[in-house]
Each structure stands twice: as structure tokens, then as C-alpha cells.
Amino acid sequence: MNNDTPKIRVRFAPSPTGHLHIGGVRTALFNYLYARQQGGTYCLRIEDTDKERSTDANMQEILSALEWLGLSADEKPVIQSEHIQEHLYAAQQLLNKDKAYRCFCTKEELDTDKAKAEAEKRPYRYSGKCRNLSAKEIQNKLEVKPYTVRFRIPEGVTRFKDMVYKDIAVNNEEIDDFIILRSDGTPIYQLSVVVDDANMGITHVIRGEDHLSNTPKQILLYLALGKKVPKFGHLPLILASDGKRLSKRHGASSVNEFKELGFLPEGLLNGLAPTEKGE
Ligand code: GLU
């Protein structure tokens, strides 16, 4: 690594909507180890924008579980809800550049379209009804109707080289114009995560493979906002012996439960650590 190579910065970004799941610990561990191996920085971001499901108690529990495991961050944790103004600013920039648009479709209209798609056994797609409204139409509706803000997916193909899954290409036609701001004006995960990762200078996004389908959407947001796209690595999830995602049903699944069973942090991490074969 020469002096021009930016130092790597990774992050673990749990949502405080429940206990710290062992799968999350594995994600944290891979980020931590990658940062240590590369001489980089391991950050933590608490994604607490889902106000109904996030609690302070869960956040404290996650922080102390990480501390118990020796996986505390190198910098002060970032609390996502403290950065909402930055997310809103990004949405406004996208609106100004016509890379996003206001959608006045009501929940009922969208639900009807969804039910129709389901009945016809085809995947639901937003109708695009508000994609090309004139300035006058928008002005008239603004006075009387609430709206969401949708990201305008450009034409083309989105490609990236995943650190685990290698070459991935998605035709943008397969991506819906997704919502970035709800009708109450609050930002959606896809937008918040991109703005925060960009502002935190994250160079490598290493997370569970359940986020793989979010990545093309997020890459398109980075590009639309003129931000540098980080590298991505998606880790296979931890499965139970029945092949299903490890959950309470299978026994202990959260750090606290393992702690109560008498596991030592070193033993737990050892069981989750990658082997030389990369498994
Ligand atoms: N907060 C998300 C989760 O807990 C993670 C987001 C991400 O890593 O990009 O699943």
C-alpha cells in the first residue's frame, strides 16, 4: 500500500430492533478482522431510523455485547438518526437534478396494483404514473396531496465485483423506482445507508448476503449523488442444521443467550471466525 492508497474504512451497522444476533457478530468480526489485516479503521453505526422498532435498551445491549466480545469500534459510534438532515439534503439534491421525483399515488392505488400483479402471478412493478408529471401538474397536486419521493432508475446495467460473489450484473429494468422519502418526509434505509457510508468515508461495505439485492440500488444512488462507490462484500448467512436461517427456534441465537449459557467471548468468536479454507 503506498501513500496514495486511501486507508480502508469498514463498518458494522446493526439496527437496534432486537438483541445482537450471532449472524451480526459474524459480520462485525469479518469487518474487524479485515480492518486489522489492512491497517484500516473499523467503525460502528447504529441504524435507529425505524423509530417504532428501535429502542435505547437494544442499542445499549448491542454496545455492551460488542464490548464483551472485544469488537468495540475504533471510533465513536455514529447514530444514524442524528444525520437525518443529511439524508434529506441528499433527497433534495436528487429532486433538483430530476434524478428523483414526487409520487402522489395513494396507498390504495398502489395496493390495487399490487393485488392485480399478485392475481396475475407476475412481480409487482410501480406503474410509473408520476414519473413524468409536468411542472404544472406537480404544482397543482402539491397543494392538495401528500407525496413520497421516488428514485428515478436510469437505463443501463449495474455491474460490480463483489469481494465474495465476484462479478454481478443487474439490468436496471429489473429495479423499480424505489421510494427514498416516505410521505411523512422521513428517509428510507436505502438512502440513509448510502449517505452515511459516503459521509463516513467507508471504503468497503461488508455485510450479510441478505443485503445483496440492495447493492445495485445503492450503487445507483452513489452515482446519482456523485459519490465514490465503495467495494462490497456479502457474507453467507449462518444457517441451522435444517438449512434455515439460525433463529430462536433453533436454540440460542443472540449474544446474551450464549453468554448466559456460559460461553466465553473467545470461544464464540473462534466458532464464528473464518477458517484457512475460507469457510
Ligand atoms: N442495519 C442493517 C441491518 O441491520 C444493515 C445495513 C447494512 O449493513 O448496509 O440489517
Side-chain angles (χ1 to χ4, degrees):
M1 188 156 65
N2 64 36
N3 288 340
D4 303 332
T5 316
K7 273 205 148 194
I8 78 127
R9 287 176 64 80
V10 294
R11 52 49 162 199
F12 173 47
S15 304
T17 51
H19 303 293
L20 182 57
H21 187 271
I22 203 75
V25 176
R26 185 155 177 266
T27 303
L29 177 63
F30 273 67
N31 275 287
Y32 172 90
L33 292 175
Y34 192 62
R36 290 293 91 93
Q37 184 209 37
Q38 300 286 317
T41 307
Y42 158 71
C43 307
L44 181 68
R45 183 172 66 241
I46 301 288
E47 303 212 315
D48 61 340
T49 45
D50 181 348
K51 281 292 165 206
E52 276 170 28
R53 294 173 56 225
S54 304
T55 67
D56 247 12
N58 285 335
M59 177 167 98
Q60 292 311 330
E61 192 184 306
I62 292 173
L63 293 175
S64 51
L66 289 172
E67 197 182 335
W68 180 72
L69 289 161
L71 294 177
S72 292
D74 298 334
E75 293 177 354
K76 187 167 171 274
V78 169
I79 310 294
Q80 187 159 59
S81 59
E82 293 173 6
H83 297 272
I84 287 188
Q85 288 311 321
E86 291 144 47
H87 312 156
L88 298 181
Y89 176 72
Q92 191 56 51
Q93 276 183 311
L94 293 174
L95 274 173
N96 294 349
K97 289 191 260 176
D98 204 29
K99 294 185 173 183
Y101 60 92
R102 294 178 178 85
C103 172
F104 298 91
C105 293
T106 61
K107 184 171 179 314
E108 290 68 38
E109 279 174 281
L110 299 175
D111 284 348
T112 309
D113 287 352
K114 280 179 199 160
K116 218 160 144 193
E118 203 173 307
E120 290 168 15
K121 295 196 167 40
R122 56 176 168 82
Y124 162 76
R125 297 295 305 262
Y126 170 59
S127 67
K129 200 170 152 198
C130 299
R131 206 168 202 257
N132 295 306
L133 296 178
S134 68
K136 179 133 186 38
E137 281 171 309
I138 295 175
Q139 203 49 47
N140 290 342
K141 286 180 194 285
L142 268 181
E143 285 159 23
V144 288
K145 285 184 96 174
Y147 61 86
T148 58
V149 175
R150 285 185 189 268
F151 181 47
R152 190 187 296 280
I153 300 291
E155 283 177 9
V157 176
T158 302
R159 298 173 196 281
F160 63 102
K161 202 178 183 73
D162 190 83
M163 293 160 79
V164 178
Y165 285 84
K166 306 298 173 205
D167 294 304
I168 301 205
V170 176
N171 193 329
N172 293 357
E173 280 174 15
E174 289 167 28
I175 311 175
D176 228 3
D177 283 355
F178 58 90
I179 293 175
I180 54 173
L181 288 192
R182 299 183 185 88
S183 57
D184 64 2
T186 56
I188 295 275
Y189 156 76
Q190 307 286 5
L191 177 67
S192 302
V193 85
V194 166
V195 173
D196 287 346
D197 280 338
N199 289 347
M200 288 168 72
I202 299 301
T203 57
H204 295 68
V205 173
I206 301 170
R207 57 187 175 187
E209 69 176 9
D210 47 337
H211 287 288
L212 194 53
S213 63
N214 289 328
T215 301
K217 298 180 185 175
Q218 294 175 8
I219 289 176
L220 291 171
L221 277 175
Y222 278 98
L223 296 173
L225 289 165
K227 309 269 190 199
K228 191 170 178 332
V229 182
K231 292 208 163 43
F232 290 90
H234 291 88
L235 307 170
L237 304 178
I238 302 183
L239 304 179
S241 49
D242 61 0
K244 304 247 164 67
R245 270 169 89 156
L246 183 72
S247 73
K248 265 201 152 348
R249 231 162 21 86
H250 302 101
S253 60
S254 73
V255 177
N256 280 1
E257 286 167 304
F258 282 100
K259 192 175 169 183
E260 275 161 28
L261 287 170
F263 279 78
L264 296 175
E266 294 81 0
L268 204 50
L269 291 183
N270 204 31
L272 294 170
T275 65
E276 268 179 44
K277 283 187 278 170
E279 287 158 353

